[in-house]
Amino acid sequence: MVSGVSFEPTRSTQNGSLIRLDSNENAYGPSTKVAVAIRSSVGSANRYSLSAYPALTERIATFHKLNPHQVLLGCGSTEILRMAACAFLGRPKQLIQASPTFEALEHYARAVGSDALSVPLTHSYAHDLDAMLSHASASPSLIYICNPNNPTASLTPRTDLETFIAKLPPSTIVLIDEAYHHYVGESGMYRSFIDRPLNDDRVIVTRTFSKVYALAGLRLGYAVASPQVVQRLRRYATENNVNAMVTHAGMAALDDTAGVDEFVQRNTDDRQEFFNQAMARALKPIDSHANFVMMNTYHSAEQVIKHFRQSGVLISRSFPAMDTYIRVSLGRKEEMTAFWRAWDMLPFAKNIMHH
Ligand SMILES: Cc1ncc(COP(=O)(O)O)c(C=O)c1O
């Protein structure tokens, strides 16, 4: 190893670079234990991760008390979304999703020739399951449920999802994306479909190591599904899709439960602080169950995003379905201070309460 190399996570406030509040990453990680595992995995970089792949699959299965045949690894959960589009979409099948939601699956759906049907969220920013059901009854579909939803950070109640899934045509596949699972906290509305499975072969659940585990740059995600569905998805996996270093990092991340607890607590505190700052400015963000917040600016989001960019702060792109809202990923204290400083420089910042 080269001495003198810093392994500190990049501080976006250093070197005059942009502050990145745009991709819902973990601004603090990876944890010390995971960083140590990454460093000591350097020696494995010259080898294909052939034996590590089944070992990590088993580790994840044990973690969730599942059979390894129910677990499929991906190069980020994005690869799982691509596999799902390849395995379960293609003309004449359609993707049914919320609007707005995380759009990677839509891109892959279109690439394999499927239409994407986007159903607006309800007034409480939940998936409109009744509308989704009526579309699903009309033609064969893959349904994407992002819970908590990106970009709104909102929940769709578990009981509603159960009722919905029970009514779906037998051939429908439901993919539940739990990328932000760890940040939900105590909520009677939420229960993971991995922790409390439905025992329904139509359900695929995805998770990622990119968020609470802070490994977005190393790319690791997984699906939990029935062995048959896992087999079908696997046909479309890239060979050697999981790199040697992230197998070590992933195992260490699962072992480091104290590290996860700490990240979750920090996120809870950062989220509370965001809402305090927002309230002090008469702003009312959407209640957040994730590591980002969406809020109405009552002005063109495009213009607001541009203003922040000029102030050195990157926030999310705009969402046409909610074009006066911005999505802000929670960052470190100094990054959020920069965010609010830039907010207060918006020409309408002082008048927002008149809306
Ligand atoms: C809801 C959701 N799913 C999946 C992903 C993709 O994550 P990754 O491919 O890094 O696992 C993201 C990334 O932001 C996301 O927000």
Side-chain angles (χ1 to χ4, degrees), residues 88-212:
F88 297 109
L89 286 171
R91 213 169 278 124
K93 293 178 209 155
Q94 60 179 358
L95 170 69
I96 301 174
Q97 64 178 359
S99 170
T101 195
F102 184 64
E103 285 172 6
L105 185 52
E106 174 178 346
H107 297 307
Y108 295 124
R110 293 195 191 282
V112 298
S114 283
D115 287 332
L117 235 157
S118 301
V119 179
L121 296 170
T122 66
H123 290 303
S124 53
Y125 307 101
H127 288 66
D128 187 341
L129 300 174
D130 290 338
M132 290 176 118
L133 179 63
S134 67
H135 289 303
S137 306
S139 56
S141 334
L142 169 69
I143 300 182
Y144 178 63
I145 303 281
C146 188
N147 199 32
N149 188 47
N150 179 6
T152 47
S154 50
L155 293 178
T156 300
R158 163 85 190 202
T159 46
D160 296 352
L161 284 168
E162 286 182 19
T163 312
F164 166 71
I165 292 167
K167 288 186 198 159
L168 287 170
S171 63
T172 315
I173 297 284
V174 188
L175 191 148
I176 303 177
D177 186 332
E178 295 186 352
Y180 300 99
H181 160 80
H182 292 86
Y183 296 119
V184 175
E186 285 302 312
S187 168
M189 279 216 295
Y190 180 83
R191 190 75 192 266
S192 161
F193 280 83
I194 296 181
D195 300 342
R196 204 209 296 161
L198 284 188
N199 205 5
D200 185 326
D201 284 359
R202 298 171 301 176
V203 178
I204 303 169
V205 187
T206 58
R207 291 276 186 96
T208 180
F209 281 78
S210 299
K211 307 300 173 183
V212 82

Side-chain angles (χ1 to χ4, degrees), residues 256-276:
D256 188 13
T257 51
V260 170
D261 291 347
E262 198 183 316
F263 287 140
V264 168
Q265 187 56 51
R266 279 197 196 195
N267 187 68
T268 306
D269 296 346
D270 292 347
R271 196 163 55 192
Q272 186 57 56
E273 176 59 17
F274 188 97
F275 276 76
N276 294 346

Side-chain angles (χ1 to χ4, degrees), residues 11-91:
R11 302 281 163 89
S12 39
T13 40
Q14 285 175 358
N15 311 323
S17 60
L18 292 162
I19 292 173
R20 300 205 50 169
L21 306 179
D22 61 334
S23 298
N24 304 341
E25 297 147 339
N26 177 334
Y28 301 98
S31 73
T32 311
K33 283 185 178 155
V34 172
V36 167
I38 295 170
R39 260 170 261 169
S40 56
S41 74
V42 168
S44 67
N46 61 321
R47 301 288 181 194
Y48 292 111
S49 53
L50 296 178
S51 63
Y53 186 101
L56 178 58
T57 307
E58 284 209 15
R59 181 69 189 79
I60 291 171
T62 308
F63 184 78
H64 290 301
K65 304 188 179 65
L66 296 165
N67 183 304
H69 294 113
Q70 294 169 272
V71 176
L72 179 66
L73 307 183
C75 181
S77 54
T78 301
E79 194 195 10
I80 307 281
L81 299 178
R82 181 179 58 68
M83 292 182 218
C86 294
F88 297 109
L89 286 171
R91 213 169 278 124

Side-chain angles (χ1 to χ4, degrees), residues 233-287:
L233 291 168
R234 195 193 302 283
R235 285 191 225 149
Y236 301 96
T238 301
E239 285 294 317
N240 294 300
N241 57 354
V242 174
N243 72 74
M245 292 175 74
V246 85
T247 56
H248 296 278
M251 301 247 204
L254 289 177
D255 288 341
D256 188 13
T257 51
V260 170
D261 291 347
E262 198 183 316
F263 287 140
V264 168
Q265 187 56 51
R266 279 197 196 195
N267 187 68
T268 306
D269 296 346
D270 292 347
R271 196 163 55 192
Q272 186 57 56
E273 176 59 17
F274 188 97
F275 276 76
N276 294 346
Q277 294 291 336
M279 246 153 12
R281 291 165 174 83
L283 299 166
K284 281 204 204 78
I286 298 173
D287 197 15

